[in-house]
Coordinates of all heavy atoms in Angstrom, one line a residue:
A245 N 0.8 -1.2 0.0 CA 0.0 0.0 0.0 C 0.9 1.3 0.0 O 0.5 2.3 -0.7 CB -0.9 0.0 1.2
D246 N 2.0 1.2 0.7 CA 2.9 2.4 0.7 C 3.4 2.7 -0.7 O 3.7 3.9 -0.9 CB 4.0 2.1 1.7 CG 3.6 2.2 3.2 OD1 2.5 2.7 3.4 OD2 4.4 1.6 4.0
I247 N 3.5 1.7 -1.5 CA 4.0 1.9 -2.9 C 2.9 2.3 -3.8 O 3.0 3.2 -4.6 CB 4.7 0.6 -3.4 CG1 5.9 0.3 -2.6 CG2 5.1 0.8 -4.9 CD1 6.5 -1.1 -2.9
V248 N 1.7 1.7 -3.6 CA 0.6 1.9 -4.6 C -0.2 3.1 -4.2 O -0.7 3.8 -5.1 CB -0.3 0.6 -4.5 CG1 -1.6 0.9 -5.3 CG2 0.4 -0.6 -5.1
R249 N -0.4 3.4 -3.0 CA -1.2 4.5 -2.6 C -0.9 5.9 -3.2 O -1.8 6.6 -3.7 CB -1.2 4.7 -1.0 CG -2.2 5.7 -0.5 CD -2.3 5.6 1.0 NE -1.0 5.7 1.7 CZ -0.4 4.7 2.3 NH1 -1.0 3.5 2.4 NH2 0.8 4.8 2.9
P250 N 0.4 6.3 -3.2 CA 0.8 7.5 -3.9 C 0.4 7.6 -5.3 O 0.1 8.7 -5.9 CB 2.3 7.6 -3.7 CG 2.6 6.8 -2.5 CD 1.6 5.6 -2.6
K251 N 0.3 6.4 -6.0 CA 0.0 6.4 -7.4 C -1.5 6.7 -7.6 O -1.9 7.5 -8.5 CB 0.3 5.1 -8.0 CG 1.8 4.8 -8.0 CD 2.2 3.5 -8.7 CE 3.7 3.3 -8.6 NZ 4.1 2.1 -9.4
F252 N -2.4 6.1 -6.8 CA -3.8 6.3 -6.8 C -4.1 7.8 -6.5 O -4.9 8.5 -7.1 CB -4.5 5.4 -5.8 CG -4.9 4.1 -6.4 CD1 -3.9 3.1 -6.5 CD2 -6.2 3.8 -6.8 CE1 -4.2 1.8 -7.0 CE2 -6.5 2.6 -7.4 CZ -5.5 1.6 -7.4
E253 N -3.4 8.3 -5.5 CA -3.6 9.7 -5.1 C -3.2 10.7 -6.1 O -3.8 11.7 -6.4 CB -2.9 10.0 -3.7 CG -3.5 9.2 -2.6 CD -2.7 9.4 -1.3 OE1 -1.6 9.9 -1.3 OE2 -3.3 9.1 -0.2
L254 N -2.1 10.3 -6.8 CA -1.6 11.2 -7.9 C -2.7 11.2 -9.0 O -3.0 12.3 -9.5 CB -0.3 10.7 -8.5 CG 0.4 11.5 -9.6 CD1 1.9 11.3 -9.6 CD2 -0.1 11.1 -11.0
V255 N -3.2 10.1 -9.4 CA -4.1 10.0 -10.5 C -5.4 10.8 -10.1 O -5.9 11.6 -10.9 CB -4.5 8.6 -10.9 CG1 -5.6 8.5 -11.9 CG2 -3.3 7.9 -11.5
L256 N -5.9 10.5 -8.9 CA -7.1 11.2 -8.5 C -7.0 12.7 -8.4 O -7.8 13.5 -8.7 CB -7.6 10.6 -7.2 CG -8.1 9.1 -7.2 CD1 -8.3 8.6 -5.8 CD2 -9.3 9.0 -8.1
R257 N -5.8 13.1 -7.9 CA -5.5 14.5 -7.8 C -5.5 15.2 -9.2 O -6.0 16.3 -9.4 CB -4.2 14.7 -7.1 CG -3.8 16.2 -6.8 CD -2.6 16.3 -5.8 NE -1.4 15.6 -6.4 CZ -0.9 14.5 -5.9 NH1 -1.4 13.9 -4.9 NH2 0.2 14.0 -6.4
E258 N -4.8 14.6 -10.1 CA -4.7 15.1 -11.5 C -6.0 15.1 -12.2 O -6.3 16.0 -13.0 CB -3.6 14.4 -12.3 CG -2.2 14.7 -11.7 CD -1.9 16.1 -11.7 OE1 -2.0 16.8 -12.8 OE2 -1.5 16.7 -10.6
L259 N -6.8 14.1 -12.0 CA -8.1 14.0 -12.6 C -9.0 15.2 -12.2 O -9.7 15.9 -12.9 CB -8.8 12.7 -12.3 CG -8.3 11.5 -13.0 CD1 -9.0 10.2 -12.5 CD2 -8.3 11.6 -14.5
E260 N -8.9 15.4 -10.9 CA -9.7 16.5 -10.3 C -9.2 17.9 -10.8 O -10.0 18.8 -11.1 CB -9.7 16.5 -8.8 CG -10.5 17.5 -8.1 CD -12.0 17.4 -8.4 OE1 -12.5 16.3 -8.6 OE2 -12.7 18.5 -8.5
R261 N -7.9 18.0 -10.8 CA -7.3 19.3 -11.2 C -7.6 19.6 -12.6 O -7.9 20.8 -13.0 CB -5.8 19.3 -10.9 CG -5.1 20.6 -11.2 CD -3.7 20.6 -10.7 NE -2.8 19.8 -11.5 CZ -2.2 20.2 -12.6 NH1 -2.3 21.5 -12.9 NH2 -1.4 19.4 -13.3
E262 N -7.5 18.6 -13.5 CA -7.6 18.9 -14.9 C -9.1 18.8 -15.4 O -9.4 19.5 -16.4 CB -6.7 17.9 -15.7 CG -5.2 18.1 -15.5 CD -4.7 19.4 -16.1 OE1 -5.4 19.9 -17.0 OE2 -3.7 19.9 -15.6
L263 N -9.9 17.9 -14.8 CA -11.2 17.7 -15.4 C -12.3 18.0 -14.4 O -13.5 18.1 -14.8 CB -11.3 16.2 -15.7 CG -10.3 15.6 -16.7 CD1 -10.5 14.1 -16.9 CD2 -10.3 16.3 -18.0
G264 N -12.0 18.3 -13.2 CA -13.1 18.6 -12.2 C -13.8 19.9 -12.6 O -13.2 20.9 -13.0
G265 N -15.1 19.8 -12.6 CA -15.9 21.0 -12.9 C -16.2 21.2 -14.3 O -17.0 22.1 -14.7
L266 N -15.6 20.4 -15.2 CA -15.9 20.5 -16.7 C -17.2 19.8 -17.1 O -17.7 20.1 -18.2 CB -14.7 19.9 -17.5 CG -13.4 20.7 -17.4 CD1 -12.3 20.0 -18.3 CD2 -13.5 22.1 -17.8
G267 N -17.7 18.9 -16.3 CA -18.9 18.2 -16.6 C -18.8 17.2 -17.8 O -19.7 16.9 -18.5
I268 N -17.5 16.7 -18.0 CA -17.3 15.8 -19.2 C -17.0 14.4 -18.7 O -16.8 13.5 -19.6 CB -16.2 16.4 -20.1 CG1 -14.9 16.6 -19.4 CG2 -16.7 17.7 -20.7 CD1 -13.7 17.0 -20.3
A269 N -16.9 14.2 -17.4 CA -16.5 12.9 -16.9 C -16.7 12.7 -15.4 O -16.9 13.7 -14.7 CB -15.0 12.6 -17.2
R270 N -16.7 11.5 -15.0 CA -16.7 11.2 -13.5 C -15.9 10.0 -13.3 O -15.7 9.2 -14.2 CB -18.2 11.1 -13.0 CG -19.0 10.0 -13.6 CD -20.4 10.0 -13.0 NE -21.2 8.9 -13.6 CZ -22.5 8.7 -13.2 NH1 -23.0 9.3 -12.2 NH2 -23.1 7.7 -13.8
W271 N -15.5 9.8 -12.1 CA -14.6 8.7 -11.8 C -14.7 8.2 -10.3 O -15.2 9.0 -9.5 CB -13.1 9.0 -12.1 CG -12.7 10.3 -11.4 CD1 -12.2 10.5 -10.2 CD2 -12.8 11.6 -12.0 NE1 -11.9 11.8 -9.9 CE2 -12.3 12.5 -11.0 CE3 -13.3 12.1 -13.2 CZ2 -12.3 13.9 -11.3 CZ3 -13.3 13.5 -13.4 CH2 -12.8 14.4 -12.5
G272 N -14.4 7.0 -10.1 CA -14.5 6.4 -8.8 C -13.3 6.8 -7.9 O -12.2 7.2 -8.4
K273 N -13.4 6.7 -6.6 CA -12.3 7.0 -5.7 C -12.2 5.8 -4.7 O -12.7 5.8 -3.6 CB -12.6 8.2 -4.9 CG -12.7 9.5 -5.8 CD -13.1 10.7 -5.0 CE -13.2 11.9 -6.0 NZ -13.6 13.2 -5.3
P274 N -11.6 4.7 -5.2 CA -11.6 3.4 -4.4 C -10.7 3.5 -3.2 O -9.7 4.3 -3.2 CB -11.0 2.4 -5.5 CG -10.2 3.3 -6.4 CD -10.9 4.6 -6.5
K275 N -11.0 2.6 -2.2 CA -10.2 2.5 -1.0 C -9.3 1.4 -1.1 O -8.5 1.1 -0.1 CB -11.1 2.4 0.2 CG -12.0 3.6 0.4 CD -13.0 3.3 1.6 CE -14.0 4.5 1.8 NZ -15.0 4.2 2.8
G276 N -9.3 0.6 -2.2 CA -8.4 -0.5 -2.4 C -8.5 -1.1 -3.8 O -9.1 -0.5 -4.7
G277 N -7.8 -2.2 -4.0 CA -7.8 -2.8 -5.3 C -6.7 -2.3 -6.2 O -5.8 -1.7 -5.7
Y278 N -7.0 -2.4 -7.5 CA -5.9 -2.1 -8.5 C -6.4 -1.1 -9.6 O -5.6 -0.8 -10.5 CB -5.4 -3.4 -9.1 CG -4.1 -3.8 -8.6 CD1 -3.9 -4.1 -7.2 CD2 -3.0 -4.0 -9.4 CE1 -2.7 -4.5 -6.7 CE2 -1.8 -4.4 -8.9 CZ -1.6 -4.6 -7.6 OH -0.4 -5.0 -7.0
F279 N -7.6 -0.6 -9.5 CA -8.1 0.2 -10.7 C -8.9 1.4 -10.2 O -9.5 1.5 -9.1 CB -9.0 -0.7 -11.5 CG -8.3 -2.0 -12.0 CD1 -8.6 -3.2 -11.4 CD2 -7.4 -1.9 -13.0 CE1 -7.9 -4.3 -11.8 CE2 -6.8 -3.1 -13.4 CZ -7.0 -4.3 -12.8
I280 N -9.0 2.3 -11.1 CA -9.9 3.5 -11.0 C -10.8 3.4 -12.3 O -10.3 3.3 -13.4 CB -9.1 4.8 -11.0 CG1 -8.2 4.9 -9.8 CG2 -10.1 6.0 -11.1 CD1 -7.3 6.1 -9.8
C281 N -12.1 3.5 -12.0 CA -13.1 3.4 -13.1 C -13.4 4.8 -13.6 O -13.9 5.6 -12.7 CB -14.3 2.6 -12.7 SG -15.4 2.2 -14.0
F282 N -13.2 5.1 -14.8 CA -13.4 6.4 -15.4 C -14.6 6.3 -16.4 O -14.6 5.5 -17.3 CB -12.2 6.9 -16.1 CG -12.2 8.3 -16.6 CD1 -11.8 9.3 -15.8 CD2 -12.7 8.6 -17.9 CE1 -11.8 10.6 -16.3 CE2 -12.7 9.8 -18.4 CZ -12.3 10.9 -17.6
E283 N -15.6 7.2 -16.2 CA -16.7 7.3 -17.1 C -16.7 8.6 -17.9 O -16.9 9.7 -17.4 CB -18.0 7.2 -16.3 CG -19.2 7.1 -17.3 CD -20.5 6.9 -16.5 OE1 -20.5 6.8 -15.3 OE2 -21.6 6.9 -17.2
A284 N -16.4 8.4 -19.2 CA -16.3 9.6 -20.1 C -17.7 9.9 -20.7 O -18.7 9.2 -20.4 CB -15.3 9.3 -21.2
Q285 N -17.8 10.9 -21.5 CA -19.0 11.1 -22.2 C -19.4 9.9 -23.1 O -18.5 9.2 -23.6 CB -18.9 12.4 -23.1 CG -18.8 13.7 -22.3 CD -18.6 14.9 -23.2 OE1 -17.7 14.9 -24.1 NE2 -19.4 15.9 -23.0
K286 N -20.7 9.7 -23.3 CA -21.1 8.6 -24.1 C -20.5 8.7 -25.5 O -20.5 9.8 -26.1 CB -22.6 8.6 -24.2 CG -23.3 8.2 -22.9 CD -24.8 8.2 -23.0 CE -25.5 7.9 -21.6 NZ -27.0 7.9 -21.7
G287 N -20.1 7.6 -26.0 CA -19.5 7.6 -27.4 C -18.1 8.1 -27.5 O -17.6 8.3 -28.6

């Protein structure tokens, strides 16, 4: 977790910084596992 956690936090931080508030996507914020699920605009 000490190795993986900073990577999840980096991705979530950058998604929010770059895409937050644009209304073009949403994404999960998992507490574990290996993936982040990203939902873009349809199509």
Side-chain angles (χ1 to χ4, degrees):
D246 287 342
I247 297 169
V248 170
R249 184 172 54 250
K251 298 182 178 186
F252 275 79
E253 291 177 346
L254 183 153
V255 173
L256 293 172
R257 185 170 60 249
E258 291 304 303
L259 289 177
E260 182 61 35
R261 187 170 72 88
E262 294 293 333
L263 304 177
L266 292 181
I268 58 175
R270 58 182 180 175
W271 51 89
K273 298 176 181 178
K275 298 176 184 176
Y278 257 59
F279 305 100
I280 295 169
C281 190
F282 185 91
E283 185 177 358
Q285 292 177 308
K286 292 179 181 180

